[in-house]
Amino acid sequence: MKLRELKEQLSDKTIEERLDTLASLFPEQVIFTTSFGVEDQVITEKIFTNNLPVRVVTLDTGRLFPETHEVFSQTMIKYRKKIEVFFPDYLSVEKLVNEKGPFSFYDSIENRKECCRIRKVIPLRRALAGMSVWVSGIRAEQSDNRGQMSDLEFDEEKKLFNFHPLFDWSLQDVEKYVKDNSIPYNSLYDKGYLSIGCEPCTRPVLKGNDFRSGRWWWENSNGKECGLHK
Ligand code: SF4
């Protein structure tokens, strides 16, 4: 199916209807990846409460915050639905840490990308294998880089559609939805962690700064992504 055709099929629909339409058009080939951020929790709630046939998947890098595991557990308990977990290949992690130590990512961008590749990108590749639609919680206002994306795209490299249901939502929209629906969220969020990844690579965001400025803060560029999203 062409991107334009799919856009037409999804126009004038709610998020739930769009997810449902995608799941009907691509049975068992729609996957949502969550890192349990506030945006992801909104999408999880929509998938689980509407019983949408969308796989919900998370990547456990081995370096996550305990607070992230806490909200992971709360989410499982609240919805009683399956959340699939993908871990990195242990031999690759052992080799990396044996050769370069536990904090090699601070030494260079190359080392950081190597760690992200082993702990995130390769497990993601396994999760996405055979999928046709990848749903994620990207919002336009999260960074200049993300603002240039669109809510529905075709990823030529991964050969699948990317759907960002909350693309046009503001942070206030997300917070209100989470509050109104009593959705569990990461307690670090209230301490200024607007974008939460691995513990050694995430710090709170200073007021007025880019949403993702707390990620890999020692690197000085706006296009900071871990390789999951281009
Ligand atoms: Fe490694 Fe940091 Fe990337 Fe996590 S965010 S995979 S710890 S470099």
Side-chain angles (χ1 to χ4, degrees):
M1 179 177 285
K2 293 268 188 300
L3 179 61
R4 189 166 47 83
E5 228 178 292
L6 188 56
K7 279 193 177 187
E8 277 165 19
Q9 296 228 28
L10 298 185
S11 65
D12 299 325
K13 285 186 160 78
T14 64
I15 290 175
E16 292 84 341
E17 288 167 345
R18 296 171 92 191
L19 287 167
D20 199 30
T21 302
L22 287 167
S24 304
L25 290 171
F26 305 97
E28 298 180 23
Q29 289 172 28
V30 183
I31 185 171
F32 164 56
T33 53
T34 175
S35 58
F36 304 101
V38 271
E39 291 86 0
D40 291 340
Q41 290 300 90
V42 170
I43 299 171
T44 298
E45 193 265 354
K46 288 185 180 289
I47 291 172
F48 284 163
T49 56
N50 292 286
N51 285 316
L52 298 173
V54 173
R55 286 174 65 201
V56 177
V57 163
T58 192
L59 308 176
D60 192 329
T61 63
R63 304 299 294 259
L64 299 177
F65 287 93
E67 288 87 345
T68 302
H69 284 126
E70 187 57 43
V71 71
F72 179 2
S73 171
Q74 289 168 1
T75 307
M76 285 179 70
I77 292 166
K78 179 176 171 75
Y79 300 106
R80 304 213 165 273
K81 299 276 190 185
K82 184 176 176 185
I83 300 174
E84 295 173 56
V85 190
F86 283 75
F87 285 95
D89 170 58
Y90 73 92
L91 290 174
S92 303
V93 174
E94 280 180 7
K95 185 171 183 293
L96 173 71
V97 179
N98 277 323
E99 287 176 358
K100 298 188 175 176
F103 296 115
S104 60
F105 34 82
Y106 292 137
D107 295 339
S108 67
I109 292 186
E110 290 69 31
N111 278 0
R112 197 272 286 172
K113 288 189 172 169
E114 178 185 30
C115 184
C116 282
R117 191 176 69 252
I118 290 169
R119 294 179 186 273
K120 294 181 178 183
V121 177
I122 294 175
L124 175 73
R125 206 178 290 155
R126 284 199 291 125
L128 296 182
M131 294 292 104
S132 295
V133 181
W134 177 19
V135 181
S136 64
I138 285 178
R139 291 186 300 108
E141 70 172 11
Q142 285 171 328
S143 68
D144 290 347
N145 190 32
R146 295 187 172 196
Q148 288 164 22
M149 297 167 130
S150 114
D151 62 341
L152 185 69
E153 302 175 319
F154 187 75
D155 185 329
E156 291 291 347
E157 193 186 308
K158 296 189 178 74
K159 301 288 178 223
L160 42 64
F161 291 103
N162 292 147
F163 177 45
H164 312 129
L166 305 186
F167 192 71
D168 297 326
W169 284 37
S170 68
L171 184 61
Q172 289 70 30
D173 294 335
V174 175
E175 287 176 340
K176 184 173 184 320
Y177 192 91
V178 165
K179 190 162 177 257
D180 290 352
N181 292 280
S182 305
I183 295 173
Y185 65 94
N186 197 320
S187 59
L188 290 173
Y189 190 78
D190 291 332
K191 296 176 181 166
Y193 290 78
L194 297 187
S195 172
I196 305 168
C198 294
E199 188 272 335
C201 300
T202 308
R203 69 179 185 181
V205 172
L206 301 174
K207 214 171 174 182
N209 280 8
D210 188 295
F211 283 97
R212 284 177 67 80
S213 61
R215 306 288 291 278
W216 310 292
W217 64 91
W218 64 93
E219 291 178 10
N220 191 18
S221 80
N222 180 51
K224 291 186 291 188
E225 299 286 352
C226 52
L228 301 187
H229 306 286
K230 296 294 172 195

